[in-house]
Amino acid sequence: MQRITLYSFFALCSLLLVWGCEKDEQQLVLQPQGTITATPSSTSVVLTTTGSGTNALGVTWTPVDYGVPVAVNYAIQFDKVGNQFKAPVEISAGTSTSVSISGTDLNAALLKLGLVGGIPGQVEMRVRAGINRPNDQPGQFQYSAATVLNATPITTISYLYVPGAYQNWAPENAPSLISPTSDGNYEGYIYIGAASEFKITSVPAWSGTAYGVGATADKLSTTGDNLKIATPGYYLFRVNTTGLTWSAVPTKWGIIGAATPTNWDASTPMAYDATSGTWKIDVALKQDELKFRANDAWDLNFGDNDANGTLEAGGANIKVPSAGNYTVELDLRKAGSYTYKLTKK
């Protein structure tokens, strides 16, 4: 009996020891040692269209030591001057201690932070280091000191136009599609009120390139007949002028979220207002969150990352400040600048 009791005692001690080790392992925290010293190739950059694909800015930095052999991942962060990196734009550098940033990538970061093409401005930049584990705390990341970068971005936006029978073949008044970086990919939303033929043009006139029917249904050519939409509706147009492809996806918009009558289970449909050219709904909302999505699915959805009334594809949930009856309006008329309004009654 004594022997059984001793065995039981030792077994219990072993279990407690293992449990204690597991707890200690869970509490292991890796803290970075030392500081990061970052050195940019320049603190003043003027971007040009001819150099967009070349390296516009180089940054090197000293490595971070976590005291154990782990892979450290780095990124360059950019943010508005004085914003204390509350909403930075990041460019990944992987595990390297240097990075060469192309004019295209740097220009996209500058424009996203609100700088205007052709006008000198300033942003702050720094290096962020971490080992990218789940649940890392801010103290487990390491940052270099911030450096002010004087930069002049370029305007890279280009447009296509969609004149057709639905708007009396007037290219000067035709809806537009946008390519934010002039990479040949264009998109925009257009309401086609009746079955219609149309063309896609490079300028708001007949003097430019006019795209028509290509060899297959999804192809374009510069010599083809008129394109056609057979069914009235509100379409998302996408065009690639490099591959000469196009698509037009019919959409019906709604709101979804904990603030809406159907929660996150299904979209509450909105109605298209042909007079204003926007989608609207009068609805009772809770003090919670919502998003916009098309066709009661998540393939096309919009949120608002900065809570400023401007929408981003797949963006953050939109907060409803207080419960009540609202008019919710979704405006997709201006390609590349989609907006919304929540108006409490």
Side-chain angles (χ1 to χ4, degrees):
M1 186 70 174
Q2 264 186 334
R3 185 174 297 173
I4 293 173
T5 302
L6 285 172
Y7 285 152
S8 300
F9 173 74
F10 287 125
L12 178 61
C13 288
S14 297
L15 287 170
L16 290 171
L17 180 61
V18 170
W19 180 81
C21 290
E22 289 177 350
K23 294 295 285 184
D24 288 341
E25 186 177 43
Q26 290 173 357
Q27 294 173 358
L28 176 63
V29 175
L30 296 179
Q31 295 290 350
Q33 302 173 16
T35 59
I36 304 175
T37 301
T39 305
S41 60
S42 176
T43 56
S44 182
V45 177
V46 178
L47 298 176
T48 63
T49 54
T50 56
S52 60
T54 60
N55 295 330
L57 180 68
V59 186
T60 60
W61 54 89
T62 53
V64 171
D65 181 12
Y66 277 84
V68 293
V70 294
V72 181
N73 292 278
Y74 299 94
I76 308 298
Q77 293 186 325
F78 297 90
D79 204 354
K80 300 173 184 176
V81 173
N83 200 43
Q84 300 179 337
F85 293 92
K86 293 176 183 177
V89 176
E90 285 195 351
I91 296 176
S92 174
T95 57
S96 176
T97 54
S98 66
V99 67
S100 294
I101 303 172
S102 71
T104 299
D105 289 343
L106 181 58
N107 195 64
L110 297 175
L111 293 176
K112 189 169 184 179
L113 291 172
L115 271 67
V116 179
I119 300 177
Q122 290 185 325
V123 296
E124 289 182 307
M125 63 179 180
R126 68 181 183 181
V127 175
R128 176 187 63 76
I131 55 177
N132 289 358
R133 302 180 310 174
N135 303 317
D136 270 0
Q137 300 301 310
Q140 293 169 260
F141 292 107
Q142 183 80 339
Y143 303 92
S144 71
T147 300
V148 174
L149 177 68
N150 299 287
T152 304
I154 55 176
T155 299
T156 59
I157 297 174
S158 58
Y159 296 89
L160 292 176
Y161 303 87
V162 189
Y166 71 98
Q167 53 88 243
N168 296 319
W169 293 104
E172 67 278 10
N173 298 320
S176 61
L177 312 177
I178 189 172
S179 176
T181 59
S182 294
D183 62 354
N185 292 298
Y186 295 79
E187 78 162 44
Y189 290 88
I190 301 176
Y191 177 66
I192 307 290
S196 179
E197 295 187 354
F198 60 93
K199 290 272 193 176
I200 298 172
T201 63
S202 60
V203 294
W206 293 115
S207 57
T209 302
Y211 298 96
V213 174
T216 58
D218 65 339
K219 287 289 187 177
L220 297 171
S221 80
T222 57
T223 58
D225 292 336
N226 295 339
L227 299 159
K228 296 179 181 179
I229 290 287
T231 305
Y234 195 82
Y235 287 85
L236 167 60
F237 277 75
R238 286 181 171 144
V239 174
N240 181 284
T241 54
T242 303
L244 289 178
T245 59
W246 79 289
S247 64
V249 178
T251 64
K252 293 182 178 181
W253 287 86
I255 55 174
I256 189 170
T260 71
T262 49
N263 210 301
W264 292 103
D265 299 323
S267 298
T268 300
M270 305 177 76
Y272 181 72
D273 183 341
T275 301
S276 66
T278 62
W279 291 83
K280 294 180 179 179
I281 183 175
D282 291 325
V283 62
L285 297 177
K286 305 179 187 71
Q287 183 180 351
D288 216 303
E289 296 179 332
L290 61 79
K291 296 190 79 171
F292 296 95
R293 71 175 188 171
N295 303 333
D296 205 16
W298 288 108
D299 297 341
L300 298 172
N301 76 88
F302 288 113
D304 185 355
N305 291 334
D306 302 311
N308 60 0
T310 300
L311 294 166
E312 292 83 26
N317 296 345
I318 298 165
K319 296 185 183 299
V320 177
S322 60
N325 294 317
Y326 284 82
T327 296
V328 181
E329 184 175 16
L330 173 65
D331 189 347
L332 304 177
R333 290 173 297 173
K334 187 176 180 181
S337 182
Y338 305 135
T339 61
Y340 70 96
K341 292 178 182 178
L342 304 180
T343 305
K344 193 171 185 180
K345 295 183 175 182

